[in-house]
Amino acid sequence: PAQGGGAMPFPAATGGGGGGAALPPELQELRNSPQFAQLAGLIAQNPQMLQQMLPALQHSNPGLVQVIQENPQAFLQMVAEAGGGLRPGQGGGGGGPGPGQTVITLTEEEQAAVNRLTALGFDRSMAAQAYFACDKNEELAANFLFDSANDMMD
């Protein structure tokens, strides 16, 4: 019988992390998630938000947090690529979303949750992004938005 051989769920930390290495499957899956563009946009606008998001993400997906912490450069590169189209001053004319932006259609339930977050005094776009970044957990999104607002005032 094999003794503990099998595949390890996460790579062992082997030091300085090479540039150009293939992304771990968990990060590839995250990159393909429809919510990742919103998460990346939030982080691109306010990089300190990542540190506030990690505890919320730890509750819903602890394995992903571990992979992010083991591969910070790869994760930050993914964020830069996905959030790159959200820089201020890059607006085009009217019409559809700009490059790197995504239009999301909300269900009635999601719309109601975002409306409740905006009723707390938050910008609609930020409320929607926080709601999806927190895996549609309205309470975590509200806590995240309040924490973010406090950090911006400090």
Side-chain angles (χ1 to χ4, degrees):
Q3 293 194 9
M8 292 176 50
F10 299 105
T14 55
L23 283 176
E26 295 86 355
L27 290 183
Q28 288 179 358
E29 186 177 321
L30 176 64
R31 175 188 275 170
N32 296 331
S33 164
Q35 287 111 357
F36 181 68
Q38 293 179 328
L39 174 70
L42 275 172
I43 295 169
Q45 290 173 1
N46 183 359
Q48 297 151 344
M49 288 183 153
L50 177 60
Q51 292 306 314
Q52 297 165 357
M53 286 181 185
L54 288 177
L57 191 56
Q58 181 72 34
H59 291 293
S60 62
N61 195 337
L64 180 59
V65 172
Q66 182 176 350
V67 171
I68 290 170
Q69 290 171 338
E70 290 173 355
N71 301 279
Q73 293 296 77
F75 178 74
L76 291 176
Q77 177 152 355
M78 281 175 36
V79 168
E81 290 168 0
L86 299 178
R87 281 192 243 52
Q90 286 190 335
Q101 295 179 331
T102 304
V103 173
I104 305 268
T105 304
L106 303 178
T107 65
E108 275 187 44
E109 184 179 318
E110 293 165 344
Q111 181 77 33
V114 170
N115 287 342
R116 287 189 292 273
L117 292 169
T118 57
L120 296 172
F122 297 105
D123 170 75
R124 179 164 187 69
S125 174
M126 291 295 290
Q129 290 179 27
Y131 179 68
F132 283 102
C134 292
D135 206 21
K136 299 183 186 180
N137 182 320
E138 191 174 341
E139 187 177 336
L140 282 177
N143 288 338
F144 170 75
L145 289 165
F146 281 119
D147 287 346
S148 299
N150 287 340
D151 285 350
M152 286 185 219
M153 290 181 207
D154 288 346

